[in-house]
Amino acid sequence: MAYFSKHYHSPGTAPGTLVSTSPSTRPVSIHLIDYTEENVEEERLASPQECQAYLERDTKTWIQVNGPVNVDTLRTLGDMFNLHDLALEDVLNSGQRPKLELYDDQLFLIAAMPILQDDALEIVQVSLFVGKNYLICLCPLEEDPFEPIRKRMRNPSNKRFASRDIDYLLYALLDLITDSAFPVLEAFGDKLEGMELELLEQPRKQTLSDIHRLKRELLFMRRVLWPQRELLTTLMRVEDPLINPDTLIYYRDCHDHSVQIIELLESFRDMATGMLDIYLSSISQRTNETMRVLTIIATIFIPLTFIVGVYGMNFQNPDSPWAMPELAWYYGYPMVWGLMIAITAGLVWFFKRRGWL
């Protein structure tokens, strides 16, 4: 995971310049849903120019663009829906901070959707343009993450989208984007639980690396999702004709989910920090136990080494009164062995009684 993931133009570039910083050959798909209270119509568009026919209708239109959007597609949509150049530039330069921009007759939002890609955290920038009867959503993922919302719209018994204005569709998209953090946090929670058990049983060097990686991902996720909570707060308080008062209760629910996510992130980050202390304490405890065992072994062998050293001097002059009489004893060798065994047993008993073994 890169520390800096924002794409940007060269310093000095004129504002609103649309130049792709990371061109891609992957295809772009455009999925359009045009709906009223009586009917829901879906189309797969081959080009953004085909959206023009739906602008003249008295319907609500959701245009979903998936894949790495190119400059030509952005310019076509910008000219067709009168989108601001600075907003289009923010769409092209991914890695933007979640935010809300108010224009004369439309809203521009950037939201961050966390996903796990090959067991690694990835933050996907989702850009949304909201007008009176249209919503344009641009997502760089090839697989459409908003299919669950389409299933709800296709359900004839679900009249919430049909009976409400376009701001309810905006809530549904933001709610899915916000709630996408919960599966990621669930995976992080499982990782924390596994690392905690590993720390208590048998910590390894790889465990320390895993903790550092998870802590960095949590910090990165918090840095991105914290302004998203501010985005939802601003959306609840903004006075704009595109946001109906009866839809604010849904935005408040989405904001509550965002608060829960931030709280979970804070808790997980504190747990990861505490695991570093547990790892260091565990390593220190293992070192102390090893040193204690080595000290006990050395303590046991100190008197044995002394006895062997004394009787290894071999002063056997029979005429000297200072000669060692034990060297000439018939049972001298087994006596020394018995003495060493007795000393060893006595030291082991003493250490166990003191709780050192």
Side-chain angles (χ1 to χ4, degrees):
M1 183 183 65
Y3 284 106
F4 186 81
S5 58
K6 186 180 186 302
H7 296 160
Y8 60 94
H9 293 327
S10 300
T13 305
T17 302
L18 299 182
V19 178
S20 179
T21 56
S22 57
S24 176
T25 58
R26 291 182 296 171
V28 176
S29 64
I30 303 177
H31 193 152
L32 184 143
I33 291 187
D34 194 74
Y35 62 98
T36 61
E37 293 187 7
E38 295 81 17
N39 185 35
V40 176
E41 181 180 348
E42 293 189 55
E43 293 288 344
R44 291 281 185 177
L45 307 183
S47 65
Q49 288 83 356
E50 298 180 25
C51 299
Q52 185 70 42
Y54 295 89
L55 293 178
E56 302 174 357
R57 298 184 181 183
D58 188 17
T59 57
K60 289 167 280 191
T61 306
W62 171 20
I63 302 171
Q64 179 65 43
V65 181
N66 291 321
V69 63
N70 52 53
V71 176
D72 295 335
T73 301
L74 272 182
R75 284 176 178 165
T76 302
L77 291 174
D79 295 338
M80 193 179 304
F81 292 91
N82 194 25
L83 306 179
H84 200 282
D85 292 341
L86 292 178
L88 296 177
E89 182 183 4
D90 288 341
V91 174
L92 197 61
N93 297 336
S94 60
Q96 300 288 334
R97 186 177 187 267
K99 63 178 181 178
L100 168 65
E101 296 287 348
L102 303 177
Y103 296 102
D104 293 337
D105 56 348
Q106 61 185 213
L107 302 177
F108 172 60
L109 300 92
I110 289 181
M113 182 169 62
I115 62 173
L116 286 178
Q117 192 78 18
D118 297 329
D119 201 33
L121 176 65
E122 182 179 348
I123 302 297
V124 178
Q125 174 180 313
V126 181
S127 306
L128 303 107
F129 294 92
V130 183
K132 182 178 180 180
N133 292 319
Y134 66 87
L135 187 150
I136 306 173
C137 179
L138 301 105
C139 178
L141 296 176
E142 294 183 14
E143 295 185 4
D144 189 2
F146 303 108
E147 183 61 26
I149 298 178
R150 284 195 193 87
K151 290 182 178 179
R152 288 158 54 189
M153 297 180 72
R154 298 186 191 110
N155 187 0
S157 61
N158 189 349
K159 298 296 184 180
R160 288 188 175 182
F161 292 96
S163 61
R164 296 179 180 272
D165 292 335
I166 204 73
D167 58 342
Y168 185 82
L169 175 61
L170 174 62
Y171 150 74
L173 297 179
L174 289 177
D175 184 62
L176 188 146
I177 293 171
T178 302
D179 289 350
S180 64
F182 285 112
V184 177
L185 290 176
E186 183 179 3
F188 285 166
D190 294 338
K191 288 183 180 180
L192 284 170
E193 184 177 357
M195 286 187 290
E196 188 175 18
L197 293 175
E198 188 175 343
L199 282 176
L200 297 176
E201 295 176 357
Q202 188 66 30
R204 302 174 292 113
K205 288 185 178 180
Q206 184 61 35
T207 306
L208 180 62
S209 177
D210 293 340
I211 293 175
H212 276 294
R213 177 186 175 186
L214 181 59
K215 187 178 179 182
R216 189 177 71 167
E217 289 179 336
L218 289 170
L219 183 62
F220 175 61
M221 190 172 174
R222 179 188 180 278
R223 180 176 64 83
V224 174
L225 296 187
W226 186 273
Q228 187 150 298
R229 187 177 72 169
E230 299 175 358
L231 161 66
L232 294 171
T233 302
T234 306
L235 197 59
M236 289 190 305
R237 299 175 179 175
V238 67
E239 295 182 0
D240 193 278
L242 294 175
I243 305 298
N244 295 318
D246 59 346
T247 316
L248 293 180
I249 187 172
Y250 297 101
Y251 287 113
R252 285 198 294 268
D253 180 71
C254 188
H255 179 266
D256 290 341
H257 294 181
S258 179
V259 173
Q260 293 176 19
I261 290 169
I262 295 298
E263 291 176 349
L264 284 173
L265 277 172
E266 295 288 351
S267 301
F268 286 172
R269 193 177 63 158
D270 292 341
M271 290 175 63
T273 302
M275 283 186 179
L276 291 177
D277 298 334
I278 294 175
Y279 175 83
L280 296 177
S281 300
S282 178
I283 295 298
S284 177
Q285 182 181 2
R286 289 179 59 190
T287 303
N288 292 337
E289 290 178 354
T290 303
M291 293 300 297
R292 183 178 63 179
V293 172
L294 294 177
T295 302
I296 290 174
I297 294 175
T299 304
I300 291 175
F301 275 91
I302 285 174
L304 306 184
T305 305
F306 173 76
I307 294 173
V308 172
V310 169
Y311 286 102
M313 291 186 289
N314 297 325
F315 293 109
Q316 301 185 34
N317 189 348
D319 298 330
S320 173
W322 302 102
M324 299 175 65
E326 298 90 344
L327 295 179
W329 286 359
Y330 185 80
Y331 294 102
Y333 180 68
M335 182 203 70
V336 172
W337 266 110
L339 178 62
M340 290 192 295
I341 292 173
I343 292 175
T344 302
L347 289 174
V348 170
W349 173 82
F350 176 75
F351 290 148
K352 284 189 175 180
R353 185 177 180 183
R354 297 297 298 268
W356 296 349
L357 278 177

